[in-house]
Amino acid sequence: MILGVHPVDFAIVMTYFAVILYVGVFHGGRRTKTLGDFFVAGGKWGALISFIFVFASAVAGNEAVVVGGQAYKGGLSGVWLWWNFLFATPIYYLFATYFRRARVYNLAEFFEMRYGRGASALYSAVAGVICILFIGMFLLAISKILVGLTTLSLPQCIVVITLIVGAYVFAGGMMSTLLTDVLQGLMCLFILSFIMLPFLWIHAGGWPALQALPKETWNLTSPNLTLWKVLSLNTSALVGGIAAPWIYNWIAVSRSERAATQCGWGHLWKRIITLLFALYGILFAIYKPGLADPELAWGAVMKEILPWGVLGLLIASFFAAVMSSAATYATTSSAMVIDYFYRKVLNPGRPLPHYLLSARFWAFFSVVIAAATTQGVGSIKRYVDITMALLSFLGIPIYFGVWWKRSNRAGMWASLVLGIASYLTIMVFLPDTFPLFCFTEARNILGVFIPTALALLGMIVGCLVGSPEDPLKIKRFHVILNTPIGREARLVEAGIVLPQLVDMKLVENKPERLNPEVLGRLYDEDCRDKFFGPDSTIELRREPTLPWYFLGFFRITAMCVALVAGTWLLTRLLFVWQ
């Protein structure tokens, strides 16, 4: 045995590492020449690669651990710990055109296009923290699995994974991540999700064992995940999910609007796989009841029931899930901190190689910092509670900025300040004896609803009483978002300068000199397609060049609803109504 695993399993995992490091460090580093390569993999990938990349980056292994752990304790309801983003999935699809057409390399720059630099600096700082917390969650997930399989301790597992992920994210950022995710996405889809199920099914007793469980096992809520907790998780994801900075970068790797919508479809497949992770957790509870920490169930059970060879494939697949996601989030953190805050606010005007090297170092150190957070948080569910509450209110200025012409920075500032202040008050400063914390998970539930409500109120009031934004700035923003990929000539004609236009060598990297007359004409042309008329303040258009776009939105929304309704009905028929 080597580190507690069979030599064949060890050889499989080492082979996986060798391939990933070769592709990520050598090929990814060689193909990374610009900031666009590092942060959005050049923005030139088609629908299939975009789908695989998003799926691989979204499935991080932590879903398997936390959903399986909660299902172990509370049955099927545990699926909501990662189904919480289910109804945000159509929003990712809807925003795919806006984010892809923005032609910048991070969401903080998108913020600046609409609200100015000060707001974007604040957002970039908060978003950078969220990225690091998510990376910490990923590292802890795979480490908890490896502890049950090997002779390594939890800190040793975290150190090993940190160094491996840090190596290839330093080399090529998003380019390295995308290239490796072609393999890792397939591993997550076919090996991680399904390879263990036949073995576990047999050892847990199969169909008779499932039918013998209490009927409460199949409820979509439970004492562990109450209806209010489920609603708070869904509210956070629906309102704040679009402000998750990695969503922007996942979309921006695509070469067209249609390819960009794969962000939605990739996440839908992730929700389907998440349901399978809940089934794993229920089977774990049947096979090995009484675990003090159900998040350790994967490692504890796998080593007992899987033959050598299969165990190695599953370990490699968990590494693939965690490493693909951790690398993506590390690159996104670097985009927030280096490409925006450092390059545009703290230290502008330096040559490209300086910023590219800085981006590499920050991507590496963000993984290291994330590893340090695992010492203080300790549980994946705790990571979920912290990050979901922090994310909940951040999307409000984006929704308003894209769709309401009257949105302004006064509303944005009021929204962010009220959201952050109330979040810190509830989640950090109020004692556990505070009267409102008298029911189960009160702090985490109120930490979503109250900041979100106050942020929404602040946004509306601020927009109504604050000074309007510069009309030229508003027109510039919407002309950019309404210009289809492939028609960049109209942006050049208006004098617009964007990072991707510079990389495409369509414009020079010089200060922008807008042509107000051309910009006004283009904006008026786009206004003819508004749903509520050319003079409406609601900036929602029919998208005449994308006839499939809104049909696809309604289709993906219907499929999300059908997934929940179908799961409820099927479990009733199979296990409850008998």
Side-chain angles (χ1 to χ4, degrees), residues 63-358:
E63 303 94 342
V65 176
V66 71
V67 169
Q70 286 300 303
Y72 184 102
K73 294 192 297 183
L76 186 63
S77 64
V79 75
W80 283 112
L81 279 184
W82 233 260
W83 259 14
N84 54 346
F85 282 96
L86 178 63
F87 295 107
T89 300
I91 302 299
Y92 300 157
Y93 179 100
L94 193 63
F95 268 76
T97 57
Y98 303 127
F99 283 176
R100 180 58 188 88
R101 290 174 179 178
R103 300 168 174 90
V104 294
Y105 296 143
N106 59 76
L107 194 51
E109 282 192 279
F110 186 88
F111 249 84
E112 183 181 333
M113 290 167 62
R114 186 62 174 82
Y115 294 117
R117 181 161 296 180
S120 302
L122 174 62
Y123 169 77
S124 68
V126 175
V129 170
I130 293 174
C131 286
I132 288 172
L133 289 172
F134 266 89
I135 297 168
M137 188 195 313
F138 304 152
L139 298 177
L140 184 60
I142 185 63
S143 297
K144 284 197 168 189
I145 291 170
L146 291 179
V147 163
L149 298 174
T150 70
T151 57
L152 295 173
S153 66
L154 187 66
Q156 289 172 329
C157 291
I158 291 172
V159 169
V160 170
I161 302 163
T162 298
L163 293 176
I164 294 171
V165 174
Y168 78 79
V169 78
F170 177 89
M174 199 67 80
M175 182 68 78
S176 291
T177 305
L178 186 142
L179 293 175
T180 56
D181 277 2
V182 174
L183 169 62
Q184 295 184 139
L186 296 175
M187 293 176 68
C188 293
L189 183 59
F190 295 110
I191 300 178
L192 173 62
S193 304
F194 296 104
I195 196 172
M196 188 178 180
L197 187 57
F199 300 94
L200 181 59
W201 183 269
I202 293 170
H203 283 80
W207 195 256
L210 290 177
Q211 291 187 312
L213 290 171
K215 297 185 186 302
E216 294 77 16
T217 303
W218 307 104
N219 290 340
L220 288 177
T221 60
S222 68
N224 293 308
L225 277 168
T226 64
L227 178 61
W228 282 107
K229 178 65 175 178
V230 170
L231 289 175
S232 72
L233 289 170
N234 279 271
T235 298
S236 175
L238 188 60
V239 178
I242 200 59
W246 50 89
I247 298 296
Y248 182 93
N249 292 75
W250 287 346
I251 289 170
V253 303
S254 304
R255 68 180 175 216
S256 67
E257 292 95 335
R258 189 151 207 161
T261 59
Q262 294 303 314
C263 185
W265 295 112
H267 276 87
L268 179 60
W269 273 101
K270 175 183 175 179
R271 309 307 161 208
I272 296 171
I273 296 302
T274 302
L275 184 60
L276 188 62
F277 294 150
L279 176 60
Y280 274 117
I282 294 170
L283 291 171
F284 288 153
I286 297 172
Y287 172 75
K288 200 175 184 68
L291 288 177
D293 183 357
E295 290 184 356
L296 296 174
W298 281 86
V301 174
M302 282 193 299
K303 193 168 185 178
E304 293 183 6
I305 69 173
L306 292 183
W308 54 264
V310 176
L311 181 61
L313 285 173
L314 193 57
I315 295 173
S317 299
F318 264 107
F319 269 113
V322 171
M323 290 169 59
S324 61
S325 299
T328 303
Y329 285 60
T331 306
T332 304
S333 174
S334 184
M336 294 291 103
V337 175
I338 300 300
D339 189 44
Y340 185 79
F341 194 73
Y342 180 70
R343 182 173 68 87
K344 301 197 73 173
V345 179
L346 290 182
N347 193 14
R350 300 295 295 274
L352 171 64
H354 171 80
Y355 293 122
L356 190 54
L357 183 62
S358 300

Side-chain angles (χ1 to χ4, degrees), residues 43-57:
K44 58 186 178 182
W45 302 93
L48 179 60
I49 297 298
S50 295
F51 173 86
I52 295 173
F53 166 67
V54 169
F55 180 81
S57 297

